[in-house]
Each structure stands twice: as C-alpha cells, then as structure tokens.
Amino acid sequence: MIRKAVIPAAGWGTRFLPATKAQPKEMLPVIDTPTIQYVVQEAVDSGIEDILIISGKGKRAIEDHFDRNRELEEILSEKEDNYWYQEIRRISEMANIHYIRQKELNGLGDAVNHAAQHVGNEPFAVLLGDTIIDSIIPVTQQLVDYYEQYKQTIVAVEEVPMEKVYRYGIIGGEKVSENFWRVNEMVEKPAVDKSPSNLAFAGRYILTPEIFKAIKDTNRGINNEIQLTDALRILNKREAIYACNIQGKRYDIGNKLDYLKTIVDFALKRPEFKEEFMTFLKEIIKKNM
Ligand code: G1P
C-alpha cells in the first residue's frame, strides 16, 4: 500500500521568469486553480493523504494556500451562496500536508532525499509539483496499481518527439506487455544520438525506500545536480525498475508555451467558458490566418 506522497516544489522556476521572481511556479493558476492543487488532488484521488511538499525559498504561498484563512472564511460564510466558503474549507482539509525546506537547490535527487526521514522504510509516490497530468484514472493510481502487482519501483513515462529527448530523463528497456517495460537504461537529458529511446520520465514515480541509499551513492550529474535519474540507475543495479506508459496528457507548467496550451485546453473543458471561448478562439485564428 502506498500511503505517502512527496511533491518536490523547491525549484527556482527560471524558465518562467519574471512571473516566478516572487511567486512559486507551482502557484501559477490554470484558470482559477493553482498548479500544485491539481497535483495534490491527484495524490488524494489515488488514495494518498499524507503529503510532504519539498519547499524552499520564496515558496510560502504554497503553505498559505493549503492553510486555513479564517478572515476569508468569515467573509464568505456571510454570503448567501456558500459555494466558495465550502471550497476554501475543502482546500485546507484536502490532505494531511507536511513541509520541509530544501535550503540549497542541488537537483531533483537531492530534493527527494529530503523526504527520507518522513517517508521511513516504505514505498512512496513522487509527483513533480509543476506537472499536471489530465487523465481518467489518476496517473499516480495507475502506478500504484502496477506497484501492487510488482512490488518494485514503477516510473511513469511517455513518448516524446526524438528531437526533444535532450530535455528529459529517458529510459531504455525490455517490453513486458502493452505500455509496460522492465527498465535497463536511464539517462538524464541525453543527446539525441545517444538516447536509448524516446520514452521520457513524465514526472510521476513510485519509489522503494532503497532509493535513499542510491541517492547517497549518486555523484553530481548533468547541470552539476544530484539527478534522480542517476540515482535510479544505481538502484536498478540492486532492484528491478519498471516503466509504465501513462494513459493521460502531461502539462509542464514550468514551460511558457506548455502553460498557454494548458490554459486553452482546460478552458475548453469548462462548460461555463467553452462556447464563448471557442467562438473567441475561432475569431482569433481567422484574423491571424
Ligand atoms: C525532470 C526530471 C526528468 C523528467 C522531467 C519531466 O527534469 O529530471 O527526468 O523527464 O522532470 O518533466 P526537469 O524538467 O526538472 O529538467
């Protein structure tokens, strides 16, 4: 059983400056909901309510978002329609959220290592705080289901265009079944001609606690950071690792163009905006053709 989730959210967000100068990229809203709320919701929808957020400098807005705000609650409770009162209360009670600060940004592997004490000796989920995955079955739930069967590390992957592999961690492996591989290679941000495949880590993992020993044995890798991918490669010498091609669409909020696409996609899914927004988009497209 997977009881705990870790959400790394300490990064600078340099790809999204200047918006991220004084606010966390994880708080960038998709329409009206901060990115990290979607991520916490995915963990909760996957049956995980103990969540550790790896926070850092300038990230206090995340804590405030999931905290109670009694003044606001009071104002909202006096309104006739108490939808927002209920919703604001729900957000502060949606999970049991803990925080730890990563004081120096030494990479994703180092961020995950900050969870060692909280997680203890049990398998746990990792969900990157700047990545929303829209799916029918929550992606973390998809991984948990495989974990229950295999009891080994399971990573989410997705196919990316070959010319973009250098942006991701890439796996190589033997196909076990449809959309499922036993991993035997992992490289962080490989050159296109050295990439083992076009299957990229998609920001969701189920890790066994042995990952913490592997991280300790990991040297600084690309970008002079302790990479989770490098730690997984060490772990893979000691344990099996499986990769699941997820059923869902990944949105990387830390990337400006992806962020724009996310907002358009999500707006078209909202019944209250769909029709008018579609008309607006059609007009814009016509004008720019
Ligand atoms: C991180 C991981 C990488 C993964 C990517 C997914 O990279 O290190 O393996 O493919 O997230 O978004 P980053 O985007 O932080 O450079």
Side-chain angles (χ1 to χ4, degrees), residues 24 27 36 53-69 91-92 97-101:
M27 286 300 290
I36 196 157
I53 295 182
I54 314 291
S55 172
K57 194 173 160 50
K59 302 282 182 167
R60 241 179 254 163
I62 297 176
E63 291 177 41
D64 287 341
H65 184 70
F66 292 107
D67 198 358
R68 288 196 61 182
N69 181 338
I91 293 165
S92 58
I97 305 183
H98 311 264
Y99 300 88
I100 190 166
R101 281 169 81 101

Side-chain angles (χ1 to χ4, degrees), residues 12 21 55 65 92 97 123 125 130 138 162 194 211 262 288:
W12 283 114
K21 186 180 172 218
S55 172
H65 184 70
S92 58
I97 305 183
D130 61 358
M162 205 62 203
K194 297 228 167 66
I211 192 67
T262 310
N288 287 279

Side-chain angles (χ1 to χ4, degrees), residues 86-233:
Q86 300 288 354
E87 190 56 16
I88 286 325
R89 286 295 308 266
R90 185 189 73 82
I91 293 165
S92 58
E93 284 162 12
M94 65 194 285
N96 185 7
I97 305 183
H98 311 264
Y99 300 88
I100 190 166
R101 281 169 81 101
Q102 188 186 13
K103 292 182 194 155
E104 281 173 46
L105 298 184
N106 291 320
L108 183 57
D110 180 60
V112 170
N113 203 31
H114 278 65
Q117 209 180 355
H118 183 84
V119 163
N121 195 27
E122 55 182 291
F124 62 103
V126 172
L127 297 84
L128 300 191
D130 61 358
T131 302
I132 297 175
I133 306 182
D134 190 35
S135 60
I136 297 167
I137 300 170
V139 168
T140 298
Q141 179 72 59
Q142 294 175 31
L143 300 186
V144 167
D145 291 345
Y146 275 113
Y147 178 81
E148 295 303 339
Q149 206 180 327
Y150 286 85
K151 306 283 183 211
Q152 302 281 1
T153 291
I154 314 276
V155 300
V157 293
E158 66 167 3
E159 288 188 43
V160 296
M162 205 62 203
E163 65 273 15
K164 289 193 178 155
V165 290
Y166 69 90
R167 290 193 196 168
Y168 299 95
I170 302 290
I171 67 135
E174 279 167 41
K175 202 164 184 171
V176 177
S177 58
E178 193 58 26
N179 295 322
F180 201 64
W181 289 265
R182 185 172 172 141
V183 179
N184 55 28
E185 257 184 284
M186 279 167 283
V187 198
E188 183 64 22
K189 302 186 174 49
V192 175
D193 57 344
K194 297 228 167 66
S195 188
S197 75
N198 67 337
L199 289 168
F201 287 107
R204 300 290 187 266
Y205 311 75
I206 303 289
L207 302 174
T208 62
E210 276 66 30
I211 192 67
F212 298 120
K213 279 183 228 127
I215 295 171
K216 286 211 170 67
D217 295 337
T218 303
N219 294 321
R220 284 176 185 270
I222 197 152
N223 299 336
N224 199 31
E225 290 178 343
I226 312 271
Q227 297 290 349
L228 182 60
T229 302
D230 295 340
L232 284 165
R233 200 170 45 247

Side-chain angles (χ1 to χ4, degrees), residues 69-78 84-85 88:
N69 181 338
R70 287 177 196 268
E71 266 175 289
L72 179 62
E73 283 171 21
E74 213 169 291
I75 292 163
L76 294 174
S77 69
E78 282 159 14
W84 282 113
Y85 170 74
I88 286 325

